[in-house]
Amino acid sequence: KTGGKQHRVSVGDVVAIAGGMYHNLALRHDGTVVAWGHNNMGQTDVPEGLDHVVAIAAAGFHSLALKDDGTVVFWGGYGLIRGIRPPEGLTGVVAVATGDYHSVALKRDGSVVTWGLNPAHQCEVPVGLKNVLAIAARGNHTMVLLEETPVRARISSRRMID
């Protein structure tokens, strides 16, 4: 169900999937998104008219869609908190990822933007972080793949590990 409407999605119509704590997303080949599961924070209420989506991410009680123009659409909430949105003016995004209570965007220029709750410092982007090739997030941590080194992870102890 999306927005109170029943949707049937065939496997051949889906190009990507994502799973949150109690909800799921499917990205259709036409750039639209279908969501189902628990909806206690609005995480399955796909914004009406959402289209031109090229990537999706879900975790905890929130969902993200990356549009083909490099903008990010957010719905749902972080635990008991609603209303936290991507930073105003966020554009040029090429990838998105979600942790339980935070979200991450990789920009075309190799920089990273984070937002959401920050209990384990997972939203603190290290000063000078650049040349990021890929991002991942889960739980209370964020990981980045850098051009010049293997994998580095930002963890709750506030340090980078190789």
Side-chain angles (χ1 to χ4, degrees):
K1 271 181 122 177
T2 300
K5 298 176 185 172
Q6 191 83 20
H7 292 278
R8 206 173 276 274
V9 180
S10 71
V11 173
D13 192 35
V14 173
V15 297
I17 56 174
M21 193 171 293
Y22 301 110
H23 75 289
N24 304 287
L25 304 177
L27 174 59
R28 293 175 160 171
H29 79 312
D30 66 358
T32 61
V33 177
V34 176
W36 65 96
H38 287 217
N39 194 34
N40 53 326
M41 293 295 292
Q43 65 267 35
T44 63
D45 291 337
V46 177
E48 193 155 332
L50 179 64
D51 58 6
H52 299 282
V53 175
V54 296
I56 53 175
F61 303 101
H62 63 286
S63 304
L64 292 178
L66 174 60
K67 296 187 68 165
D68 63 4
D69 64 359
T71 59
V72 177
V73 177
F74 171 97
W75 64 99
Y78 297 108
L80 300 174
I81 299 174
R82 286 185 181 217
I84 297 175
R85 299 283 180 248
E88 201 168 315
L90 179 61
T91 60
V93 176
V94 296
V96 291
T98 52
D100 286 347
Y101 302 105
H102 72 292
S103 301
V104 185
L106 173 61
K107 296 187 68 173
R108 187 175 297 111
D109 65 3
S111 63
V112 173
V113 176
T114 61
W115 66 95
L117 303 182
N118 194 31
H121 309 282
Q122 67 270 30
C123 290
E124 296 174 11
V125 177
V127 175
L129 182 67
K130 60 183 180 179
N131 300 325
V132 175
L133 300 176
I135 56 174
R138 206 62 181 151
N140 283 330
H141 68 278
T142 300
M143 291 181 29
V144 297
L145 176 64
L146 299 175
E147 191 173 85
E148 62 273 355
T149 62
V151 176
R152 299 192 86 182
R154 179 104 180 132
I155 59 174
S156 60
S157 64
R158 295 190 226 176
R159 63 188 179 105
M160 295 294 281
I161 60 171
D162 292 322

